Amino acid sequence: LQDRKQPPSIHHLMGTDDLGRDVFSRILYGGRVSLKVGLISVSISVLFGGVLGVAAGFYGGRRDTVIMRFVDVLMAIPGMILSISICAALGPGMFNTMLAVGIGSIPNYARVFRSAVMTVVGQEYIEASRTMGARNRRLIWKHVLPNSMAPVIVQASLGVANAVVTAASLSFTGLGVQPPNPEWGAMLSYGRPFIWDYPHMVLFPGIAIMLTVLSLNLLGDGLRDALDPRLKQ
């Protein structure tokens, strides 16, 4: 406690909070939590959104209509509101935060998968494989999915950035990751009462979120340029 509320110095590069904890160390540990939440929540979205999108795009017909109407219902609810509702119902915590953020993004990935699969299904090599006796399961795993993943990879890389921001927002409101686990959104909420007298307590966690989201967005743009043949000259 004798080191509490210290400004940035040689001993504490980003200062200390009101309990004397080193802000730089908490940001480093909080980065592991934020990236873990972002990656796992996007994995949940890709998994369930992929199942819905592939089924709708590959089979079409009534299945496509039913699945996409369900996706439209989910899209009618703002992702942040849906995430807050899930966390409020299940309770705060890291696992519930990942689940809430993942469920809130399922409609986006379902539509991306459906669009990519519908583009691939109409290709000649799919029809050739079908006439040679390939079953639907083999067509999906061997031909449709491998040739549909490029836009999904780009969307997922950009989605991690959105998941990090959403998870930080949930933690800021008290519905996300709980103490004593360090998390950037929780650190922002924790340092909010001291923003005028000790701005370093909220400045550095905010910069960490900004730089992480910026880096992930640049990664997504780079993957889009590398994987989209229409952008190659």
Side-chain angles (χ1 to χ4, degrees), residues 1-227:
L1 293 178
Q2 62 183 358
D3 295 331
R4 64 193 186 99
K5 298 179 181 178
Q6 289 189 4
S9 62
I10 297 178
H11 300 288
H12 302 285
L13 296 179
M14 296 182 179
T16 60
D17 61 10
D18 63 324
L19 295 179
R21 298 175 295 188
D22 185 71
V23 175
F24 179 67
S25 299
R26 288 178 57 79
I27 286 179
L28 292 182
Y29 280 93
R32 300 194 304 181
V33 175
S34 297
L35 292 178
K36 180 180 178 180
V37 171
L39 292 173
I40 294 181
S41 61
V42 168
S43 300
I44 294 174
S45 302
V46 171
L47 177 61
F48 291 97
V51 172
L52 295 175
V54 171
F58 185 82
Y59 293 103
R62 182 175 298 178
R63 297 181 185 180
D64 182 22
T65 302
V66 173
I67 292 174
M68 295 315 297
R69 295 298 77 77
F70 171 73
V71 171
D72 290 340
V73 170
L74 289 180
M75 292 194 69
I77 306 174
M80 177 60 68
I81 301 299
L82 182 60
S83 300
I84 292 175
S85 301
I86 295 174
C87 280
L90 300 179
M94 184 181 299
F95 176 78
N96 292 340
T97 300
M98 294 186 292
L99 187 62
V101 176
I103 293 176
S105 302
I106 286 177
N108 297 328
Y109 292 94
R111 297 183 73 90
V112 172
F113 266 104
R114 176 178 178 270
S115 177
V117 168
M118 291 181 66
T119 302
V120 173
V121 166
Q123 300 297 322
E124 290 80 1
Y125 60 87
I126 299 295
E127 295 297 330
S129 299
R130 196 188 301 274
T131 56
M132 292 175 64
R135 297 183 177 182
N136 290 337
R137 181 180 299 179
R138 178 177 178 83
L139 288 175
I140 292 174
W141 286 104
K142 296 294 184 180
H143 300 290
V144 175
L145 276 181
N147 292 283
S148 305
M149 291 304 296
V152 176
I153 293 174
V154 175
Q155 179 70 19
S157 62
L158 296 174
V160 174
N162 294 329
V164 169
V165 174
T166 303
S169 301
L170 291 174
S171 298
F172 184 82
T173 60
L175 294 174
V177 180
Q178 298 297 299
N181 293 323
E183 201 277 336
W184 293 337
M187 293 176 66
L188 286 174
S189 177
Y190 192 81
R192 182 176 54 178
F194 312 102
I195 187 172
W196 295 112
D197 297 325
Y198 307 99
H200 66 275
M201 294 176 60
V202 297
L203 177 64
F204 292 111
I207 292 177
I209 295 175
M210 180 191 69
L211 292 179
T212 301
V213 172
L214 176 62
S215 301
L216 292 171
N217 286 333
L218 293 177
L219 175 63
D221 291 339
L223 289 175
R224 182 193 60 188
D225 296 339
L227 297 177

